[in-house]
Amino acid sequence: MTSVHPPPVPGRELSNPPTDGISNLRFSNHSDNLLVSSWDKTVRLYDASANVLRGEFMHGGPVLDCCFHDDSSGFSASADNKVRRIMFSHGKEEILGRHDAPVRCIEYSYAAGQVITGSWDKTLKCWDPRGASGQERTLVGTYPQPERVYSLSLVGNRLVVATAGRHVNVYDLRNMSQPEQRRESSLKYQTRCVRCYPNGTGYALSSVEGRVAMEFFDLSEASQAKKYGTFATGGCDGFVNVWDGNNKKRLYQYSKYPTSVAALSFSRDGRLLAVASSYTFEEGDKAHEPDAIFVRSVNEIEVKPKPKYMGSE
């Protein structure tokens, strides 16, 4: 008699998911609240642990990115060219300002107290959300970029901007007059995403062909010996992989998700991983699985680098 094992569980599926492609999701720095933006023109706030939808805002166009301000408010970047502050506790939204084309990405800098947005209009803009509503009073500065902005990431006062044409600009938020560094992606194809290392020493950059480059801000030879740490990637193949960056080895591969992995986010303590299973149209318009958000518990064995075996000489 053979025993039948149940299929691997991809995590707990959240109720009331978006009804179109999920553009991003982010855990709060203070709780298990999860902010989700979508092409269905909504920004949703979930309590990921309780599996409860806490609130929802509808925009005038697809929402391409979102980020938290505090535990119950955040900011959104929309294809209607507008930058918004959304306050779930009050059910209220404010327009901080506009770009001349869809706003692709958004970050909030706790160090500078500013919102940073990148747009397909080839500009980066910084906003002061404490100003009265209205673009003239909230806009701190506009900074031209070499091409359309595809991804942003912040760590401390460092800002990394990745654009079309494989350009990468590194800024110090305390002096935005010009980039500290102007770089070109070391990968062959178009940049998909950039994320700074939590320790502030560099960034990981991914491209559409499924590769990831690990880069340091310090270009000296001594810097290249630094350790990368552990990180996760999700792809159009429906897999989430956890990597040991230092040894350039895969530590773990989760069971396949129903469709493309559009976004990932670890909770503040690394205990949970949120996965957006959402077709990203890499093969054009075709029938696909419904958009879904899975929240899974992370086990130490999945993310802890394995010690190197020290054999005898």
Side-chain angles (χ1 to χ4, degrees):
M1 181 177 176
T2 58
S3 59
V4 178
H5 295 283
V9 178
R12 186 179 68 255
E13 186 172 353
L14 294 187
S15 305
N16 302 301
T19 57
D20 202 347
I22 298 167
S23 56
N24 204 6
L25 46 73
R26 304 206 198 199
F27 271 110
S28 165
N29 290 330
H30 309 287
S31 71
D32 290 340
N33 282 356
L34 186 70
L35 197 63
V36 180
S37 55
S38 170
W39 283 78
D40 69 0
K41 305 182 183 180
T42 67
V43 181
R44 288 171 161 89
L45 179 68
Y46 297 89
D47 181 332
S49 292
N51 195 357
V52 173
L53 178 63
R54 295 288 187 201
E56 180 180 346
F57 281 93
M58 178 69 72
H59 289 358
V63 189
L64 305 183
D65 200 6
C66 61
C67 67
F68 274 101
H69 184 203
D70 56 34
D71 210 34
S72 61
S73 69
F75 304 98
S76 64
S78 178
D80 65 5
N81 304 359
K82 295 176 183 175
V83 180
R84 292 174 173 85
R85 172 164 56 178
I86 46 180
M87 291 159 280
F88 290 92
S89 54
H90 301 95
K92 181 183 173 187
E93 70 173 70
E94 294 176 349
I95 295 174
L96 290 185
R98 294 170 175 80
H99 278 265
D100 294 330
V103 191
R104 175 62 186 90
C105 37
I106 190 163
E107 295 282 348
Y108 178 69
S109 167
Y110 293 93
Q114 293 179 7
V115 178
I116 297 102
T117 54
S119 169
W120 292 339
D121 67 6
K122 303 182 184 179
T123 69
L124 187 73
K125 293 191 178 190
C126 294
W127 315 86
D128 184 349
R130 296 164 294 193
S133 187
Q135 182 168 347
E136 294 76 18
R137 289 183 287 275
T138 59
L139 183 63
V140 175
T142 301
Y143 310 98
Q145 298 301 301
E147 251 292 356
R148 290 156 292 158
V149 180
Y150 283 164
S151 188
L152 297 176
S153 188
L154 278 170
V155 59
N157 283 303
R158 273 249 170 75
L159 170 68
V160 181
V161 184
T163 76
R166 299 170 48 248
H167 300 283
V168 179
N169 282 339
V170 181
Y171 287 91
D172 184 330
L173 287 175
R174 296 164 295 188
N175 180 15
M176 292 289 293
S177 57
Q178 61 180 11
E180 271 190 327
Q181 298 177 17
R182 289 184 173 91
R183 296 193 182 189
E184 185 178 272
S185 167
S186 58
L187 301 176
K188 186 177 179 181
Y189 294 100
Q190 175 182 300
T191 301
R192 177 74 183 272
C193 182
V194 64
R195 288 293 178 264
C196 291
Y197 307 152
N199 66 6
T201 59
Y203 59 90
L205 182 138
S206 66
S207 65
V208 295
E209 85 268 27
R211 293 180 181 271
V212 177
M214 312 298 290
E215 307 285 357
F216 286 105
F217 296 128
D218 182 353
L219 297 176
S220 67
E221 284 188 28
S223 171
Q224 307 311 308
K226 292 178 181 175
K227 298 196 174 188
Y228 300 107
T230 301
F231 64 97
T233 59
C236 299
D237 57 3
F239 285 105
V240 173
N241 292 312
V242 180
W243 303 89
D244 175 356
N246 191 41
N247 295 310
K248 298 183 179 177
K249 291 186 182 299
R250 186 170 67 194
L251 293 173
Y252 199 85
Q253 183 177 74
Y254 292 116
S255 54
K256 190 173 182 178
Y257 283 86
T259 185
S260 318
V261 175
L264 296 169
S265 182
F266 281 106
S267 61
R268 68 200 187 286
D269 54 8
R271 184 175 48 85
L272 300 174
L273 176 64
V275 180
S277 174
S278 181
Y279 180 53
T280 51
F281 288 82
E282 63 276 1
E283 295 177 358
D285 197 1
K286 67 172 189 177
H288 56 85
E289 293 294 318
D291 302 288
I293 300 166
F294 295 93
V295 177
R296 65 179 308 135
S297 296
V298 177
N299 297 318
E300 188 178 23
I301 193 172
E302 299 164 354
V303 296
K304 188 175 182 179
K306 298 169 179 63
K308 279 190 173 181
Y309 173 69
M310 303 298 288
S312 58
E313 292 294 318

